[in-house]
Amino acid sequence: MYINGEWVKTQREFRVTNPATGEAIGMVSDGDKSQAILAINAAHTAFSSWSTASAYMRAEVLQRAYDLMIERKPMLADLMTREQGKPLKAALNEVQYAADFLRWFSEEAKRVYGETIPSARADQRFIVRYQPLGVVAAITPWNYPISMITRKVAPALAAGCTIVLKPAEATPLCAIAVFNILHEAGVPAGVANLVTTSEPVPIGDEFCTNIKIKKLTFTGSTAVGKKLAQDAAPQLKRVSMELGGHAPFIVFDDADPLHAAKGASLVKFLNTGQACISPNRIFVQRAILDSFVQTFTERVVKMKAGNGLDPSVSIGPLVNSAAVEKVSCQVEDALKKGAILHSGGKALSGDAYASGNFYAPTVLSNVSEDMLIYREETFGPVAAIIPFDAYDDVIEMANNTHYGLAAYVYTQNLSRAVRAFEALNFGIIGINDINPTSAAAPFGGMNESGLGREGAREGLGEYLETKLGGFSV
Ligand code: ADP
């Protein structure tokens, strides 16, 4: 753990395993409430000097962290593949994405402009300034184990906040590597603190109830996010919540068929389906249904599952055996209720897969509303294809979810694209595009997919408080 500028070890440790091989790859300090309190106190003490340091100084520290992360990209990607499982190429992309937040917010740190507002009174002046909220508590997931950290730490530090972060228990080694970088980049003692643990609940409780914490930022499941938001409510702590999704991927009959099938297969199986923006329902207009299913399946059967360190592998393992179980359960339920299986449909066994958590990339068509997969987030490598007839029907079906994170639309008709963009109740919409994410663009969900936005100008605003001065002159 990294507390008040020093690396701290506890006697109790927990094991980190490679999800592709089941091998132990490290032992990590198992922190408890007492370490969380030490870290919060350190962040609280550091806040007075960090929040009043010049934005230029804070920007320089973040820029150095960016340079170090880029320098270490191959090492970080290798670690990520071993700890989290994604193929090496995807891990390299993630490290770049993670570093982008450091650079973007190092630039934005210098642009926290205030405002003057004309008053109706000639003898009054209004001045608005934006100031850092205070100590931030952050909880991050395992699926994007480096970028989900920088997406919170970089804007918090840029704004002048200090932070205590608890990473997911499956991927603490990536978090340690990020904090090594922050340390070497010259982040002052207490400004950024890391508490690793195998038991998130007591630390989460401390984050929600400690009066010194002014803001909780969380990325993870909707169920845990709701609980944390409730626990933080009595003190009216600010919260940002980046939660689950159930993305629709809509292919109209005027879409470029190859582009659509390629896009759907790439984004569906990205990170083995373990992404909150992963398409969970692929709606295809009936006139092109058969040809889409055929082209899509041809691409999927070529995908090789295995250890992400093997360059020919594009599908890594799932995070644990419970994830395999959940995926199996959704697929069995769908098949029982009339879905058609085109490929996959089973956990992978045999020598290469024996010690890992692998599920074959799977294509189902004829998926309908009564199936679990139609409503529940899958977080696995299963594409669920659903036919539709008319524009109005598909918009209604797509919006019929309590989630609202990402959606995708494929069409070559401009007015249909604009109308769908406006009508879909999702925070992030890809139009003929599967990668509508960037450090410069606001990421976040509507409805039960979350609160607030990360990245972009909005991402910095999440760590700032608005202060109005009314001056009688
Ligand atoms: P997932 O299902 O994707 O693992 P979780 O919401 O369970 O999502 O986990 C995301 C993060 O939330 C992880 O860092 C995990 O340790 C943490 N977490 C899980 N449950 C709690 C809890 N009750 N209190 C605080 N943090 C939690």
Side-chain angles (χ1 to χ4, degrees), residues 223-460:
V224 174
K226 283 183 180 175
K227 181 190 177 293
L228 293 171
Q230 273 168 11
D231 292 351
Q235 290 175 14
L236 287 181
K237 288 188 198 301
R238 304 292 186 266
V239 291
S240 291
M241 294 282 158
E242 212 58 80
L243 309 177
H246 206 269
F249 190 109
I250 303 172
V251 187
F252 287 103
D253 58 11
D254 58 16
D256 173 340
L258 271 180
H259 186 54
K262 185 177 170 193
S265 62
L266 285 172
V267 69
K268 173 62 241 183
F269 296 98
L270 184 71
N271 211 16
T272 316
Q274 302 171 115
C276 47
I277 60 167
S278 185
N280 229 96
R281 296 165 296 158
I282 302 178
F283 295 103
V284 182
Q285 204 155 12
R286 212 174 293 272
I288 57 160
L289 180 66
D290 291 343
S291 65
F292 179 88
V293 171
Q294 193 187 341
T295 318
F296 182 83
T297 307
E298 279 164 11
R299 297 189 68 90
V300 174
V301 293
K302 289 192 195 128
M303 293 178 175
K304 184 176 163 194
N307 188 328
L309 291 176
D310 172 349
S312 65
V313 160
S314 57
I315 303 272
L318 288 164
V319 63
N320 53 32
S321 55
V324 177
E325 203 48 35
K326 182 180 175 191
V327 169
S328 301
C329 170
Q330 284 194 0
V331 171
E332 277 164 32
D333 168 79
L335 292 175
K336 233 187 282 159
K337 292 174 180 162
I340 300 165
L341 180 69
H342 298 274
S343 77
K346 57 181 190 311
L348 291 168
S349 52
D351 284 354
Y353 305 114
S355 315
N357 307 305
F358 291 97
Y359 197 90
T362 297
V363 182
L364 298 173
S365 70
N366 207 33
V367 166
S368 55
E369 252 184 82
D370 54 334
M371 301 172 187
L372 286 176
I373 200 165
Y374 194 94
R375 310 225 158 263
E376 282 183 9
E377 194 175 26
T378 305
F379 240 58
V382 183
I385 300 173
I386 303 147
F388 74 92
D389 293 302
Y391 171 88
D392 288 341
D393 298 342
V394 77
I395 298 295
E396 195 185 322
M397 288 192 282
N399 281 339
N400 183 17
T401 167
H402 57 266
Y403 290 112
L405 189 57
Y408 306 85
V409 177
Y410 275 64
T411 175
Q412 297 199 81
N413 178 318
L414 180 60
S415 70
R416 186 178 271 174
V418 172
R419 282 194 295 131
F421 173 60
E422 290 173 358
L424 288 166
N425 296 326
F426 296 81
I428 304 161
I429 303 191
I431 306 284
N432 298 320
D433 190 277
I434 52 164
N435 192 17
T437 55
S438 150
F443 185 106
M446 297 181 180
N447 299 320
E448 294 185 20
S449 284
L451 284 174
R453 293 292 181 271
E454 293 194 311
R457 215 178 325 131
E458 283 93 332
L460 191 60

Side-chain angles (χ1 to χ4, degrees), residues 139-142 166-169 200-201 204 218-221 224 227-228 379:
I139 298 179
T140 50
W142 47 265
K166 188 209 79 62
E169 46 277 31
V201 177
F218 172 78
T219 300
S221 60
V224 174
K227 181 190 177 293
L228 293 171
F379 240 58

Side-chain angles (χ1 to χ4, degrees), residues 197-212:
T197 184
S198 65
E199 286 175 27
V201 177
I203 312 264
D205 284 348
E206 189 59 34
F207 284 176
C208 291
T209 53
N210 191 311
I211 195 77
K212 290 179 178 159

